[in-house]
């Protein structure tokens, strides 16, 4: 059997943005009928690679050979016309147009007078979509369809435009399990029709179910490529996260000083079976005073959503949260804050700081009503609170009146911490507290988390930095695809165990056997 | 060397823009005062200042409310309609006395403000659309209540419109007191600071646990109440209720005053002193052109130039 034709060959592709080398000398080869998994953590370069392939960005170096000839797409439309279609996480069709119009957008059938042949369009649309398991009235506006059906329309559209390569960027993130099955059968049909598929997902089960080959990116470089079957789950996870199997740390590199003694056996925070459609499935966890509980898992495993659901920022379908024994009204951030739950959001710039206001106003923002009488702010009391926290957290600003937007990332993070500490919280939910801040500030924030826990706060720590997570946490609850898959306690809080838990229990047993026979 | 010079040029430009943005409106007012003193006869008379101030007072009052709304990254197009509504309702209820009439006016205005606020804060309609509905509907209602111009002969209303304390007209006093009050609210109250935070970053304000909906609703109610005050005062000065034309294009004058005064449309900042100066600047500009017998169309062109200048000076703020 002759090997299938090479559809795409990428050689030495590089792309830099100010301050970041997003993609560094990356190769990628796709053959007809290949389903290729493209994986990597946040910032690994997946999106950049996709955007280079589809003409959104222009490469700094390297070349793309598509169907035997060198190409350089100036716009996504050019790439699409040439035969590279992309299905994004968010459906990128026109919500108000009919399903049929969306399917035929830009290549509508016309009758002999040059007028749109709507009857034919609807007929053909219906027929095409039936093949994708979508049975709807194609005259309805697209937005009246469920997200899954919309995604199928996008997919059908991509295939109908004679795509040779279909890139799917986390296509299942908003699909029901049944819809995922349909998607998979469509992908297999595409494969059989000789179309190459690039499949981006963080759900390991899906990758193994549908992909044949894999490319792993990390920090902008290709760190692994080859057959997916040759790479077991644990190896996949450790390659992705950049950790050696069985690597044992002798001493910590972070500023965390070690274990805390939970001062109380009663949990200060108890979350039970939190469920958010498509995001969380019956997530339960509890934190005792003085304890730092880590939340482990890959990108998209539901860590941020868990923190947001606890803090009332994300409405839950079911489940409950109690703080120090008192039940919390769900879906209300003010209620959670009053009860003593504070969330340091992952997206510091858009959800955390109020950039145009001063350091002083930002620190005082949440606590302001407590420093006011009859709605009048007591400036003296604000000053004293602000001064206290600027000193205690060593916030570096030219003055309390400097705009927060002008501070460094680390200092912005400290301002946010100060905002919450001023509220005297019982529980701190820290979502990536040290992401994007410099080493010095990172160490300070880590030290602070330690001190706060020592003072009796309950802390939930989310971090993609494994070292930080392992060394900072007394316990680690591991999430996968929106559900708790394990919990590490005591001596089990190690990177190795964490990766094994993420990779899945079956894999761990399998590995244990392997080790036993080897040993 | 070359690098140093390269760096100083844009910095200077930024500094000029910064200065213009902060003090440009005051400089404009000062320049117009100086120019008029030289070229306009009888400009420097107490009588003239009084006339100008009385004319600008309702604009200032409406603009104060508008500044608050714009501070939340919103806009209120219904203020002119609320003025008309206030005029109609005043005429209808003046028979019961001035105070009862004012109370009913306040109720109507509060209802409009609540509707605006609820659409924006609870339903999530964009402010420009939500208030557009009441801009059209409010004036419609005003005309249903009072289909044509009606002369009002009520001594207390007349004295509100033309009376004075120590030679200072009530209109000016009321506008000044309200300006100080609103400035105080913005600077010194929890409400004021929450308003600014919501305008600057709504997601952050929400996650910080601020009562976002409540603040937004109150802001629209306050804006409508201030517009109603302006409507009553204008009616008192005319001694007639004129729901057809009272407050026409007032929303645009108010937005102009706010923007020219250095309050960015992107929210998060409210400049009350600048807003007052912005209203005064437009008033002086209009008066200057009229006094020199230029056609009204020139006034509009001049206003347009001022707006473009203000927007230019504000460039680069907000979008970072």
């Amino acid at each position: 059997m002759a090997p299938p034709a090479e559809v795409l060959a990428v050689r030495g592709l590089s792309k830099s943005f100010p301050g970041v080398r997003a993609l560094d000398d990356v190769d990628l080869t796709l053959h007809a009928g290949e389903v290729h998994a493209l994986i990597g953590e946040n910032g690994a370069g997946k999106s950049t690679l996709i955007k280079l392939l589809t003409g959104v960005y222009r490469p700094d170096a390297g070349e793309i050979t598509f169907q035997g000839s060198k190409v350089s797409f100036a716009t996504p439309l050019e790439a699409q016309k040439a035969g590279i279609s992309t299905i994004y996480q968010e459906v990128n069709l026109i919500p108000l147009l009919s399903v049929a119009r969306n399917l035929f957008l830009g290549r509508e059938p016309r009758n002999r007078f040059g007028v749109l042949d709507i009857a034919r369009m609807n007929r053909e649309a219906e027929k095409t979509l039936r093949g994708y398991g979508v049975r709807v009235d194609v005259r309805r506006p697209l937005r009246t369809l469920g997200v899954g059906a919309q995604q199928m329309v996008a997919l059908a559209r991509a295939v109908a435009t004679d795509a040779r390569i279909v890139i799917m960027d986390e296509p299942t993130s908003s699909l029901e399990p049944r819809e995922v099955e349909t998607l998979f059968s469509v992908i297999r049909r595409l494969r059989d029709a000789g179309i190459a598929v690039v499949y981006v997902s963080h759900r390991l089960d899906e990758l193994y179910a549908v992909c044949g080959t894999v490319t792993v990116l990390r920090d902008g470089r290709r760190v692994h490529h080859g057959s997916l079957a040759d790479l077991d789950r644990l190896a996949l996870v450790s390659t992705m996260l950049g950790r050696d199997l069985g690597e044992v740390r002798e001493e910590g590199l972070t500023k965390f000083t070690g274990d805390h003694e939970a001062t109380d056996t009663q949990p200060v925070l108890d979350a039970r079976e939190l469920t958010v459609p498509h995001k969380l499935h019956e997530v339960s966890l509890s934190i005792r005073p003085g304890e730092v509980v880590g939340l482990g898992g890959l990108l998209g495993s539901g860590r941020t959503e868990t923190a947001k659901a606890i803090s009332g920022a994300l409405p839950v379908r079911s489940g409950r949260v109690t703080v120090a024994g008192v039940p919390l009204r769900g879906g209300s951030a003010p209620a959670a804050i009053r009860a003593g739950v504070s969330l340091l959001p992952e997206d510091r710039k858009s959800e955390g700081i109020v950039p145009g206001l001063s350091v002083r106003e930002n620190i005082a923002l949440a606590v302001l009503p407590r420093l006011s009488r009859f709605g009048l702010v007591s400036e003296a009391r604000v000053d004293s609170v602000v001064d206290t926290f600027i000193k205690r957290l060593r916030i570096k600003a030219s003055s309390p009146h400097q705009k927060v937007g002008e501070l460094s990332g680390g200092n912005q993070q400290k301002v946010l911490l100060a905002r919450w500490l001023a509220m005297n919280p019982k529980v701190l939910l820290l979502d990536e507290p040290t992401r994007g801040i410099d080493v010095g500030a990172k160490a300070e924030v880590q030290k602070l988390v330690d001190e706060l826990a020592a003072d009796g706060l309950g802390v939930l720590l989310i971090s993609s930095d494994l070292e930080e997570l392992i060394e900072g946490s007394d316990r680690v609850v591991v999430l996968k695809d929106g559900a708790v898959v394990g919990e590490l306690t005591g001596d089990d809080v190690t990177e190795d165990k964490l990766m094994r838990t993420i990779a899945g229990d079956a894999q761990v047993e399998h590995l244990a056997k392997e080790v036993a026979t080897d040993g | 060397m070359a690098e140093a010079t390269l760096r100083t040029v844009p910095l200077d430009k930024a500094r000029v823009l910064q200065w213009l943005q902060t003090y440009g409106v005051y400089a404009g007012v000062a320049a117009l005062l100086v120019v008029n003193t030289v070229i306009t006869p009888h400009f420097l008379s107490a009588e003239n200042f009084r006339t100008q101030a009385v004319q600008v007072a309702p604009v200032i009052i409406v603009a104060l409310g508008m500044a608050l709304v714009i501070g939340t990254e919103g806009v209120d197009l219904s203020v002119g309609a609320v003025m008309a509504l206030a005029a109609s309702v005043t005429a209808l209820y003046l028979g019961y006395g001035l105070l009862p009439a004012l109370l009913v006016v306040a109720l109507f205005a509060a209802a409009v403000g609540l509707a605006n606020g609820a659409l924006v804060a609870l339903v999530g309609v964009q402010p420009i659309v939500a208030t557009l509905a009441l801009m059209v509907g409010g004036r419609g209602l005003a005309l249903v209540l009072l289909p044509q111009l009606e002369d009002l002969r009520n001594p207390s209303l007349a004295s509100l419109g033309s009376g004075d304390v120590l030679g200072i007209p009530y209109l000016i006093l009321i506008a000044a007191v309200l300006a100080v009050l609103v400035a105080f609210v913005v600077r010194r109250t929890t409400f004021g600071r929450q308003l600014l935070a919501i305008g600057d970053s709504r997601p952050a304000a929400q996650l910080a646990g601020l009562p976002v909906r409540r603040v937004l609703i109150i802001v629209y109610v306050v804006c409508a109440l201030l517009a109603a005050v302006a409507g009553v005062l204008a009616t008192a000065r005319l001694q007639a209720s004129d729901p057809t034309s009272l407050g026409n294009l007032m929303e645009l004058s108010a937005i102009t005053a706010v923007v020219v005064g250095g309050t960015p449309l992107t929210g998060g900042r409210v400049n009350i002193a600048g807003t007052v100066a912005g209203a005064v600047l437009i008033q002086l500009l209009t008066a200057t052109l009229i006094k020199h017998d230029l056609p009204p169309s020139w006034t509009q062109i001049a206003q347009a130039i001022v707006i473009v200048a203000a927007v230019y000076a504000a460039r680069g703020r907000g979008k970072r």
Side-chain angles (χ1 to χ4, degrees):
Chain A
M1 197 174 78
E6 198 174 270
V7 183
L8 182 86
V10 169
R11 294 287 168 263
L13 213 56
S14 296
K15 177 75 183 174
S16 294
F17 298 106
V20 210
R21 194 152 176 84
L23 210 60
D24 192 2
D25 194 19
V26 166
D27 295 353
L28 174 72
T29 310
L30 289 179
H31 295 92
E34 176 178 349
V35 182
H36 192 100
L38 178 63
I39 62 172
E41 278 285 275
N42 231 352
K46 291 171 313 211
S47 322
T48 308
L49 178 56
I50 292 175
K51 285 179 176 164
L52 287 168
L53 291 179
T54 54
V56 179
Y57 297 150
R58 314 294 294 272
D60 296 340
E63 56 180 53
I64 302 171
T65 311
F66 177 57
Q67 295 193 305
S69 50
K70 260 179 74 177
V71 291
S72 159
F73 302 121
T75 63
L77 187 67
E78 259 181 43
Q80 201 180 326
K81 279 189 173 153
I84 301 183
S85 282
T86 315
I87 317 286
Y88 289 101
Q89 217 166 332
E90 313 290 324
V91 176
N92 52 338
L93 296 174
I94 301 165
L96 287 173
L97 283 186
S98 77
V99 173
R101 286 295 298 271
N102 268 292
L103 196 56
F104 284 98
L105 202 64
R107 45 181 196 92
E108 291 88 349
R110 291 172 194 275
N111 61 20
R112 57 204 149 101
F113 305 112
V115 179
L116 285 186
D117 189 345
I118 290 176
R120 194 176 123 208
M121 191 163 78
N122 288 343
R123 220 165 39 238
E124 286 184 14
E126 206 150 323
K127 202 174 114 206
T128 310
L129 286 178
R130 211 171 294 145
Y132 291 86
V134 179
R135 288 163 192 277
V136 292
D137 180 353
V138 295
R139 290 165 301 183
R140 271 165 51 187
L142 181 80
R143 66 161 178 190
T144 59
L145 269 58
V147 182
Q150 289 193 26
Q151 212 137 28
M152 290 301 167
V153 175
L155 193 58
R157 179 180 154 71
V159 176
T161 49
D162 288 330
R164 303 306 307 156
I165 299 176
V166 175
I167 300 172
M168 300 183 189
D169 191 358
E170 297 211 44
T172 56
S173 57
S174 44
L175 296 189
E176 302 281 357
R178 190 176 48 81
E179 295 170 325
V180 173
E181 276 312 310
T182 314
L183 179 74
F184 284 178
S185 68
V186 170
I187 290 176
R188 289 186 191 109
R189 278 218 317 269
L190 296 180
R191 182 191 63 196
D192 297 343
I195 294 169
V197 176
V198 176
Y199 192 88
V200 180
S201 177
H202 294 99
R203 300 185 178 175
L204 301 184
D205 297 340
E206 290 177 8
L207 297 178
Y208 282 97
V210 78
C211 298
T213 48
V214 61
T215 291
V216 184
L217 296 180
R218 193 172 70 229
D219 301 330
R221 292 163 188 273
R222 181 173 75 168
V223 291
H224 182 87
H225 71 287
S227 155
L228 186 58
D230 295 345
L231 189 70
D232 65 45
R233 288 183 182 217
L234 192 51
L236 181 76
V237 171
S238 66
T239 312
M240 196 158 114
L241 299 179
R243 302 287 157 179
D244 292 335
L245 287 173
E247 176 183 339
V248 182
R249 314 210 128 269
E250 300 279 328
E251 58 182 50
L253 292 176
T254 58
K255 280 288 165 191
F256 293 111
T257 47
D259 297 347
H260 313 101
E261 280 298 311
T263 53
D264 200 336
T265 45
Q266 281 303 311
V268 63
L269 179 94
D270 191 36
R272 285 289 138 228
E273 299 179 349
L274 299 178
T275 299
V276 175
H278 302 307
K279 296 195 169 120
L280 296 181
H281 182 69
E282 296 185 352
V283 170
S284 301
L285 60 88
S286 68
I287 306 173
R288 285 171 296 171
E291 194 181 32
V292 179
V293 174
L295 206 47
L298 298 176
L299 188 73
S301 58
R303 295 171 302 178
T304 294
E305 288 77 5
T306 301
K308 285 201 163 175
I310 292 172
S311 72
L314 186 69
V316 294
R317 183 158 73 188
S318 60
R320 62 188 167 78
V321 177
T322 46
V323 179
V326 183
L328 203 61
R329 186 160 63 88
S332 161
I337 290 163
R338 271 195 303 276
V341 179
S342 293
L343 167 69
L344 206 68
E346 178 185 24
D347 192 345
R348 181 174 63 231
K349 283 207 162 25
S350 73
E351 296 187 333
I353 59 164
V354 182
L357 296 190
S358 64
V359 171
R360 183 177 182 273
E361 302 304 331
N362 267 280
I363 292 178
L365 191 64
V367 77
L368 209 55
R370 294 190 196 166
L371 305 179
S372 310
R373 189 173 288 172
F374 307 120
L376 292 187
V377 178
S378 161
E379 303 296 345
R381 289 169 73 189
V382 171
D383 279 336
S384 105
V385 167
V386 169
D387 280 351
T388 308
F389 283 103
I390 287 183
K391 283 205 191 85
R392 179 165 163 209
L393 305 190
R394 293 176 292 273
I395 295 170
K396 287 181 202 73
S398 61
S399 92
H401 302 287
Q402 190 181 3
K403 280 186 189 169
V404 152
E406 296 169 358
L407 300 188
S408 70
N411 280 301
Q412 289 182 355
Q413 197 67 290
K414 288 188 197 169
V415 166
L416 288 179
L417 264 173
R419 179 193 290 170
W420 291 124
L421 294 181
M423 297 289 287
N424 204 7
K426 297 189 181 81
V427 182
L428 264 180
L429 313 174
L430 306 175
D431 195 353
E432 301 284 0
T434 63
R435 177 186 288 170
I437 69 181
D438 64 80
V439 182
K442 195 167 174 168
E444 282 192 62
V445 169
Q446 289 169 344
K447 193 161 154 241
L448 208 64
V449 171
D450 251 3
E451 287 171 12
L452 293 170
D455 286 351
L457 250 75
V459 179
L460 183 73
L461 178 65
I462 299 175
S463 178
S464 297
D465 180 342
L466 283 190
E467 251 158 36
E468 182 172 288
L469 189 68
I470 293 301
E471 293 182 18
S473 311
D474 305 313
R475 264 193 305 139
V476 177
V477 173
V478 185
L479 292 181
K480 188 176 162 191
D481 300 343
V484 176
V485 292
E487 182 172 330
L488 311 176
T489 52
D491 292 340
D492 280 348
V493 184
T494 62
E495 292 188 8
D496 202 55
K497 287 270 166 47
L498 177 62
M499 287 192 290
R500 281 166 198 271
T501 313
I502 291 173
D505 287 329
Q507 190 63 34
V508 172
E509 277 164 32
H510 169 72
L511 235 106
K513 265 183 226 149
E514 225 172 47
V515 170
T517 37
D518 280 0
Chain B
M1 263 311 272
E3 204 188 323
T5 34
L6 274 176
R7 221 180 283 153
T8 48
V9 174
L11 232 171
D12 273 350
K13 197 174 162 195
R15 209 176 291 156
V16 169
L17 280 180
Q18 180 85 37
W19 188 90
L20 264 181
Q21 205 190 313
T22 320
Y23 302 110
V25 64
Y26 307 111
V29 170
L32 277 173
L33 286 176
V34 171
V35 167
N36 275 300
T37 309
V38 177
I39 66 164
T40 311
H42 313 298
F43 179 78
L44 274 185
S45 67
E47 185 49 40
N48 181 45
F49 276 122
R50 206 181 137 106
T51 313
Q52 300 298 333
V54 166
Q55 276 177 12
V56 80
V59 184
I60 290 178
I61 295 170
V62 175
L64 293 174
M66 188 67 79
L68 295 182
V69 174
I70 288 178
T72 65
E73 208 178 353
V75 72
D76 187 349
L77 296 183
S78 69
V79 287
V82 170
M83 286 180 74
L85 201 56
S88 294
V89 174
T90 306
L92 283 182
Y93 289 88
L94 203 54
Y96 300 99
L98 183 60
L99 211 59
L102 292 184
L103 278 175
V104 182
V105 168
L107 282 180
F108 269 85
V112 172
L114 264 180
N116 280 335
L119 282 174
V120 171
L122 305 182
V123 187
V125 180
Q126 299 214 333
I128 197 164
V129 180
T131 58
L132 182 66
L134 279 139
M135 170 186 177
V136 179
R139 190 169 294 274
L141 180 61
L143 286 167
V144 168
L145 294 176
L146 189 77
Q148 72 283 313
L149 188 136
E150 189 174 306
D151 286 330
L152 301 176
R153 291 176 216 296
N154 179 301
S156 3
L157 188 70
S159 89
L160 183 63
S162 49
D164 59 43
V165 183
L166 302 170
I168 307 173
Y170 285 138
L171 257 72
I172 300 174
L173 278 177
I174 293 171
V177 168
L178 288 174
V180 170
L181 203 65
V182 171
F184 180 80
V185 166
V186 171
R187 294 175 83 101
R188 301 298 302 272
T189 64
T190 346
F191 173 78
R193 306 234 174 131
Q194 292 179 338
L195 179 160
L196 295 180
I198 290 167
D200 198 357
S201 174
R202 202 157 152 186
Q206 226 137 20
L207 280 183
L210 303 197
V212 175
R213 292 172 182 172
R214 188 172 76 205
V215 170
L216 283 176
I217 290 176
I218 294 177
V219 163
Y220 282 91
V221 169
V222 167
C223 181
L225 285 174
L226 286 168
V229 170
V232 169
L233 292 179
T235 303
R237 198 162 71 87
L238 286 171
Q239 296 204 40
S241 172
D242 181 9
T244 317
S245 60
L246 186 70
N248 259 340
L249 295 183
M250 181 55 95
E251 54 285 338
L252 298 186
S253 307
I255 295 169
T256 307
V258 173
V259 171
V260 169
T263 297
L265 284 172
T266 42
R269 225 167 73 99
V270 172
N271 185 344
I272 292 299
T275 298
V276 173
V280 170
L281 178 69
I282 302 291
Q283 172 69 25
L284 282 178
L285 192 65
T286 313
T288 309
L289 298 175
I290 289 173
K291 283 225 164 94
H292 289 274
D293 291 329
L294 285 160
S297 42
W298 279 88
T299 317
Q300 290 168 339
I301 293 170
Q303 278 195 25
I305 293 170
V306 171
I307 293 172
V308 171
V311 172
Y312 179 75
R315 199 176 51 126
R317 171 177 287 283
K319 289 242 162 74
R320 259 164 305 195

